[in-house]
Amino acid sequence: MDLDLKDKIALVTGSSKGLGLASARALLDEGCRVTICARGEAALAEAAAALKAAAGPDGPGHVLAVSADLATAAGVETVLARTVETFGGLDILVNNIGLAKGAGIVDTTDAEWQAAFDQTLFPAVRASRLAVPLMRQRGGGSILMIASIWGRESGGRMTYNAVKAAEISLAKAMAQQLAKDNIRVNSIAPGSIRFPGGSWDRRVQEAPDEMAAFVRSELPFGRFGRPEEVGAVVAFLASARASWISGASVTVDGCQSRSLI
C-alpha cells in the first residue's frame, strides 16, 4: 500500500532509540523528511547516521537531528524552529517523550509527580500547540501520541498510568477541536516492547527466569513486541490512508491488554 507520504515533513520526539527511532525510520521509509531529537548528543548522532544510511542517497537531505531537552519550553521551541527552518513546515508530529518514576501513593514525592508530567505530558502539549498553526498553513496534518496500554487500564507504575492516560485524553480532546482544520489526532497504546537499551531488555538480562514467566503469563503470542511493529502503525495513522481515523486510541500490544475497548 502506498501511504502517499513522500516529502511530507515529520517530527518525532524522543527518537534516538526505541519506539521513536522506529517511528522515524518507518516515516523515512515512506519518503518523509524527518526531524529526530533527544537530549543525548552521542546517541542522537548515531541514530541520525543509521537513518541516513538506510535512506540511501536521499538520507542526508531527509534527516535532521536536533539535540534539545524537550522537558523545557525552550527545547520544544528549538526543535520546531529548526524543523521549519530546514524543511519549510510540518505535516506530522509524533509525541514520543515519556518518563515516570515513583512508587505508591504514600512514597511518591511531589517532585516525582511533577517530573512525570514535565517529562511526558507537557512536551506533548507544547509541541502540539506549536505544530497546529504550522499544520493549518499546510491545509491539515496528523498528530500522534505514543501512549501505552497502561494509559487505558490499570497496571504499571502509578505515575506512568497517570501521564499516559492524560495523553490519551489530550489526543481525544484535540481531535475534536482540530477536525475543522483537517488535523487528525490519535494515540497509540503499545504493550511491552523490547529493544536494546530499553527497560524490558534490561529486565530480561537482569532476571531472565522472571521475565520468561512474565512472557508466558502476560503475552499471548509468547514474545515481546518489536519497535518496528509500532512504527508501522505510526506511518499508517500519519497517512491519508487513515483519513477517517481521528480521536482513536489504537493498541499495538499482541492482545496483552484486557480492556474491551
Side-chain angles (χ1 to χ4, degrees), residues 60-84:
H62 278 62
V63 179
L64 170 67
V66 182
S67 177
D69 182 0
L70 270 70
T72 68
V76 175
E77 291 168 2
T78 295
V79 173
L80 267 293
R82 288 285 309 280
T83 299
V84 174

Side-chain angles (χ1 to χ4, degrees), residues 1 10 17 38 43 49 56 61 67 73 85 94 97 114 120 132 137 139 141 150 182 192-193 201-202 222 225 246 261:
M1 180 185 292
K17 63 181 180 179
S67 177
E85 176 186 301
V94 182
I97 298 291
Q114 189 64 56
T120 304
V132 166
Q137 292 172 10
W150 304 133
N182 195 34
S192 299
I193 310 294
D201 190 58
R202 183 173 63 253
S246 192
I261 58 173

Side-chain angles (χ1 to χ4, degrees), residues 123-161:
V125 170
R126 290 167 178 147
S128 299
R129 187 164 53 209
L130 293 174
V132 166
L134 299 173
M135 292 180 178
R136 284 172 173 161
Q137 292 172 10
R138 296 172 71 83
S142 176
I143 298 175
L144 295 167
M145 308 285 180
I146 305 299
S148 169
I149 58 172
W150 304 133
R152 294 168 54 92
E153 61 185 64
S154 62
R157 182 176 281 117
M158 177 181 60
T159 51
Y160 190 74
N161 288 165

Side-chain angles (χ1 to χ4, degrees), residues 51-237:
L51 289 174
K52 290 176 181 178
D58 291 334
H62 278 62
V63 179
L64 170 67
V66 182
S67 177
D69 182 0
L70 270 70
T72 68
V76 175
E77 291 168 2
T78 295
V79 173
L80 267 293
R82 288 285 309 280
T83 299
V84 174
E85 176 186 301
T86 302
F87 294 134
L90 186 68
D91 301 296
I92 299 161
L93 170 64
V94 182
N95 288 304
N96 180 57
I97 298 291
L99 178 69
K101 299 180 180 179
I105 187 62
V106 173
D107 301 319
T108 302
T109 66
D110 282 358
E112 288 170 324
W113 275 111
Q114 189 64 56
F117 281 89
D118 286 344
Q119 295 284 348
T120 304
L121 183 63
F122 282 112
V125 170
R126 290 167 178 147
S128 299
R129 187 164 53 209
L130 293 174
V132 166
L134 299 173
M135 292 180 178
R136 284 172 173 161
Q137 292 172 10
R138 296 172 71 83
S142 176
I143 298 175
L144 295 167
M145 308 285 180
I146 305 299
S148 169
I149 58 172
W150 304 133
R152 294 168 54 92
E153 61 185 64
S154 62
R157 182 176 281 117
M158 177 181 60
T159 51
Y160 190 74
N161 288 165
V163 292
K164 291 303 180 179
E167 283 188 317
I168 292 170
S169 180
L170 174 65
K172 185 70 171 185
M174 287 172 50
Q176 293 172 328
Q177 294 173 22
L178 299 174
K180 66 182 185 302
D181 299 305
N182 195 34
I183 298 173
R184 295 181 301 105
V185 188
N186 293 290
S187 60
I188 296 175
S192 299
I193 310 294
R194 183 182 176 185
F195 55 88
S199 61
W200 287 111
D201 190 58
R202 183 173 63 253
R203 293 178 203 179
V204 168
Q205 294 181 47
E206 293 173 351
D209 292 340
E210 179 183 332
M211 286 296 97
F214 170 82
V215 170
R216 287 193 300 270
S217 66
E218 301 296 327
L219 305 180
F221 280 85
R223 66 170 176 86
F224 286 97
R226 296 185 287 265
E228 58 268 25
E229 293 172 316
V230 177
V233 178
V234 167
F236 171 70
L237 288 177

